[in-house]
Short mmCIF file of all heavy atoms in Angstrom, two decimals:
data_model
loop_
_atom_site.label_atom_id
_atom_site.label_comp_id
_atom_site.label_asym_id
_atom_site.label_seq_id
_atom_site.Cartn_x
_atom_site.Cartn_y
_atom_site.Cartn_z
N PRO A 1816 41.18 59.17 49.43
CA PRO A 1816 42.17 59.97 50.21
C PRO A 1816 42.61 61.21 49.44
O PRO A 1816 43.27 62.09 50.10
CB PRO A 1816 43.32 59.00 50.42
CG PRO A 1816 43.17 57.95 49.34
CD PRO A 1816 41.64 57.83 49.09
N ASP A 1817 42.27 61.36 48.17
CA ASP A 1817 42.57 62.58 47.51
C ASP A 1817 41.60 63.68 47.79
O ASP A 1817 41.94 64.85 47.60
CB ASP A 1817 42.60 62.33 45.95
CG ASP A 1817 43.79 61.50 45.49
OD1 ASP A 1817 44.92 61.77 45.91
OD2 ASP A 1817 43.62 60.58 44.65
N ASP A 1818 40.43 63.32 48.28
CA ASP A 1818 39.36 64.27 48.55
C ASP A 1818 39.49 64.78 49.98
O ASP A 1818 38.98 64.10 50.98
CB ASP A 1818 38.00 63.57 48.40
CG ASP A 1818 36.87 64.58 48.73
OD1 ASP A 1818 37.14 65.75 48.65
OD2 ASP A 1818 35.72 64.07 48.90
N VAL A 1819 40.28 65.82 50.19
CA VAL A 1819 40.53 66.35 51.54
C VAL A 1819 40.07 67.78 51.66
O VAL A 1819 39.91 68.49 50.61
CB VAL A 1819 42.04 66.24 51.89
CG1 VAL A 1819 42.50 64.83 51.95
CG2 VAL A 1819 42.87 67.06 50.94
N GLU A 1820 39.78 68.23 52.90
CA GLU A 1820 39.44 69.62 53.14
C GLU A 1820 40.58 70.54 52.84
O GLU A 1820 41.78 70.14 52.96
CB GLU A 1820 38.83 69.77 54.58
CG GLU A 1820 37.69 68.95 54.79
CD GLU A 1820 36.44 69.38 54.14
OE1 GLU A 1820 36.33 70.52 53.81
OE2 GLU A 1820 35.51 68.57 53.98
N GLU A 1821 40.33 71.87 52.66
CA GLU A 1821 41.36 72.79 52.48
C GLU A 1821 42.23 72.84 53.71
O GLU A 1821 41.78 72.92 54.81
CB GLU A 1821 40.79 74.18 52.17
CG GLU A 1821 41.82 75.24 51.90
CD GLU A 1821 41.24 76.54 51.47
OE1 GLU A 1821 39.99 76.61 51.30
OE2 GLU A 1821 41.95 77.54 51.33
N GLY A 1822 43.56 72.71 53.50
CA GLY A 1822 44.47 72.68 54.63
C GLY A 1822 44.78 71.31 55.18
O GLY A 1822 45.67 71.21 55.98
N GLU A 1823 44.02 70.36 54.79
CA GLU A 1823 44.23 68.93 55.23
C GLU A 1823 45.28 68.31 54.39
O GLU A 1823 45.48 68.62 53.16
CB GLU A 1823 42.91 68.16 55.17
CG GLU A 1823 42.07 68.22 56.36
CD GLU A 1823 40.93 67.16 56.34
OE1 GLU A 1823 40.49 66.72 55.20
OE2 GLU A 1823 40.47 66.73 57.40
N ASP A 1824 45.98 67.40 55.00
CA ASP A 1824 46.99 66.56 54.21
C ASP A 1824 46.49 65.22 54.05
O ASP A 1824 45.88 64.61 55.00
CB ASP A 1824 48.29 66.60 54.95
CG ASP A 1824 49.39 66.00 54.10
OD1 ASP A 1824 49.59 64.76 54.08
OD2 ASP A 1824 50.08 66.75 53.44
N PHE A 1825 46.65 64.57 52.86
CA PHE A 1825 46.13 63.26 52.66
C PHE A 1825 46.70 62.21 53.62
O PHE A 1825 46.09 61.23 53.88
CB PHE A 1825 46.31 62.87 51.13
CG PHE A 1825 47.72 62.41 50.83
CD1 PHE A 1825 48.06 61.08 50.79
CD2 PHE A 1825 48.83 63.38 50.73
CE1 PHE A 1825 49.40 60.65 50.47
CE2 PHE A 1825 49.99 62.89 50.40
CZ PHE A 1825 50.42 61.56 50.34
N THR A 1826 47.92 62.39 54.06
CA THR A 1826 48.49 61.50 55.08
C THR A 1826 47.72 61.38 56.34
O THR A 1826 48.05 60.34 57.03
CB THR A 1826 50.05 61.82 55.32
OG1 THR A 1826 50.10 63.13 55.90
CG2 THR A 1826 50.80 61.80 54.00
N LYS A 1827 46.96 62.32 56.58
CA LYS A 1827 46.09 62.24 57.80
C LYS A 1827 45.25 60.95 57.84
O LYS A 1827 44.87 60.44 58.93
CB LYS A 1827 45.18 63.45 57.91
CG LYS A 1827 44.10 63.51 58.99
CD LYS A 1827 43.24 64.63 58.94
CE LYS A 1827 42.11 64.63 59.92
NZ LYS A 1827 41.26 65.84 59.87
N TYR A 1828 44.94 60.50 56.63
CA TYR A 1828 44.07 59.35 56.61
C TYR A 1828 44.77 58.00 56.43
O TYR A 1828 44.11 57.00 56.00
CB TYR A 1828 42.96 59.59 55.40
CG TYR A 1828 42.19 60.80 55.67
CD1 TYR A 1828 42.42 61.96 55.09
CD2 TYR A 1828 41.07 60.72 56.65
CE1 TYR A 1828 41.66 63.09 55.35
CE2 TYR A 1828 40.29 61.78 56.87
CZ TYR A 1828 40.61 63.00 56.24
OH TYR A 1828 39.78 64.10 56.54
N ILE A 1829 46.05 57.97 56.60
CA ILE A 1829 46.72 56.71 56.61
C ILE A 1829 46.31 55.76 57.63
O ILE A 1829 46.18 56.17 58.72
CB ILE A 1829 48.26 56.95 56.63
CG1 ILE A 1829 48.79 57.49 55.32
CG2 ILE A 1829 49.06 55.59 56.91
CD1 ILE A 1829 50.23 57.84 55.25
N ASN A 1830 46.09 54.57 57.29
CA ASN A 1830 45.61 53.53 58.21
C ASN A 1830 46.71 53.09 59.07
O ASN A 1830 47.69 52.46 58.62
CB ASN A 1830 45.04 52.34 57.36
CG ASN A 1830 44.59 51.18 58.25
OD1 ASN A 1830 44.49 51.29 59.42
ND2 ASN A 1830 44.30 50.04 57.60
N PRO A 1831 46.70 53.37 60.44
CA PRO A 1831 47.80 52.93 61.34
C PRO A 1831 47.90 51.44 61.47
O PRO A 1831 48.94 50.93 61.91
CB PRO A 1831 47.43 53.60 62.65
CG PRO A 1831 45.87 53.78 62.59
CD PRO A 1831 45.61 54.00 61.09
N ALA A 1832 46.84 50.68 60.98
CA ALA A 1832 46.89 49.29 61.12
C ALA A 1832 47.08 48.58 59.77
O ALA A 1832 46.65 47.48 59.56
CB ALA A 1832 45.60 48.75 61.79
N SER A 1833 47.63 49.38 58.88
CA SER A 1833 47.94 48.78 57.52
C SER A 1833 49.00 47.68 57.48
O SER A 1833 49.06 46.96 56.49
CB SER A 1833 48.28 49.87 56.52
OG SER A 1833 49.57 50.50 56.85
N LEU A 1834 49.75 47.62 58.47
CA LEU A 1834 50.78 46.47 58.60
C LEU A 1834 50.88 46.03 60.01
O LEU A 1834 51.09 46.88 60.97
CB LEU A 1834 52.16 46.96 58.18
CG LEU A 1834 53.33 46.00 58.41
CD1 LEU A 1834 53.03 44.69 57.75
CD2 LEU A 1834 54.63 46.65 57.99
N GLU A 1835 50.66 44.67 60.26
CA GLU A 1835 50.91 44.10 61.60
C GLU A 1835 51.89 42.91 61.34
O GLU A 1835 51.60 42.10 60.50
CB GLU A 1835 49.57 43.63 62.09
CG GLU A 1835 49.71 42.95 63.54
CD GLU A 1835 48.42 42.44 64.12
OE1 GLU A 1835 47.36 42.48 63.36
OE2 GLU A 1835 48.41 42.05 65.28
N VAL A 1836 52.96 42.96 62.11
CA VAL A 1836 53.90 41.88 61.94
C VAL A 1836 53.78 40.88 63.17
O VAL A 1836 53.76 41.29 64.30
CB VAL A 1836 55.38 42.47 61.94
CG1 VAL A 1836 56.37 41.42 61.78
CG2 VAL A 1836 55.57 43.39 60.84
N LEU A 1837 53.65 39.67 62.79
CA LEU A 1837 53.44 38.53 63.80
C LEU A 1837 54.69 37.58 63.75
O LEU A 1837 55.07 37.11 62.73
CB LEU A 1837 52.16 37.80 63.49
CG LEU A 1837 50.93 38.63 63.58
CD1 LEU A 1837 49.71 37.72 63.15
CD2 LEU A 1837 50.64 39.32 64.82
N TYR A 1838 55.21 37.35 64.98
CA TYR A 1838 56.30 36.33 65.14
C TYR A 1838 56.37 35.94 66.57
O TYR A 1838 56.41 36.85 67.47
CB TYR A 1838 57.67 36.90 64.63
CG TYR A 1838 58.71 35.86 64.62
CD1 TYR A 1838 58.89 34.92 63.58
CD2 TYR A 1838 59.58 35.71 65.81
CE1 TYR A 1838 59.87 34.01 63.61
CE2 TYR A 1838 60.56 34.76 65.80
CZ TYR A 1838 60.71 33.88 64.69
OH TYR A 1838 61.67 32.87 64.78
N PRO A 1839 56.48 34.63 66.87
CA PRO A 1839 56.48 33.49 65.88
C PRO A 1839 55.02 33.11 65.58
O PRO A 1839 54.26 32.93 66.47
CB PRO A 1839 57.27 32.45 66.57
CG PRO A 1839 56.94 32.68 68.02
CD PRO A 1839 56.84 34.12 68.20
N CYS A 1840 54.83 32.77 64.33
CA CYS A 1840 53.70 32.08 63.88
C CYS A 1840 54.22 30.66 63.60
O CYS A 1840 55.37 30.41 63.43
CB CYS A 1840 53.04 32.70 62.63
SG CYS A 1840 52.65 34.46 62.84
N TYR A 1841 53.33 29.71 63.56
CA TYR A 1841 53.72 28.28 63.22
C TYR A 1841 52.98 27.68 62.04
O TYR A 1841 51.77 27.88 61.86
CB TYR A 1841 53.44 27.47 64.56
CG TYR A 1841 54.36 27.83 65.62
CD1 TYR A 1841 53.81 28.54 66.67
CD2 TYR A 1841 55.68 27.52 65.67
CE1 TYR A 1841 54.66 28.97 67.78
CE2 TYR A 1841 56.54 27.90 66.72
CZ TYR A 1841 56.04 28.62 67.79
OH TYR A 1841 56.82 29.03 68.83
N ALA A 1842 53.80 27.14 61.20
CA ALA A 1842 53.36 26.65 59.93
C ALA A 1842 53.63 25.09 59.84
O ALA A 1842 54.61 24.61 60.45
CB ALA A 1842 53.97 27.35 58.71
N GLU A 1843 52.82 24.43 59.05
CA GLU A 1843 53.05 22.95 58.88
C GLU A 1843 54.38 22.79 58.16
O GLU A 1843 54.83 23.62 57.43
CB GLU A 1843 51.93 22.42 58.11
CG GLU A 1843 51.74 22.93 56.70
CD GLU A 1843 50.75 21.98 55.91
OE1 GLU A 1843 51.27 20.94 55.39
OE2 GLU A 1843 49.52 22.38 55.78
#
Side-chain angles (χ1 to χ4, degrees):
D1817 289 318
D1818 181 20
V1819 296
E1820 299 290 336
E1821 185 175 351
E1823 272 190 334
D1824 190 274
F1825 77 102
T1826 59
K1827 171 183 176 180
Y1828 297 101
I1829 286 178
N1830 178 9
S1833 64
L1834 170 60
E1835 182 181 6
V1836 180
L1837 303 177
Y1838 184 84
C1840 306
Y1841 292 103
E1843 64 170 278

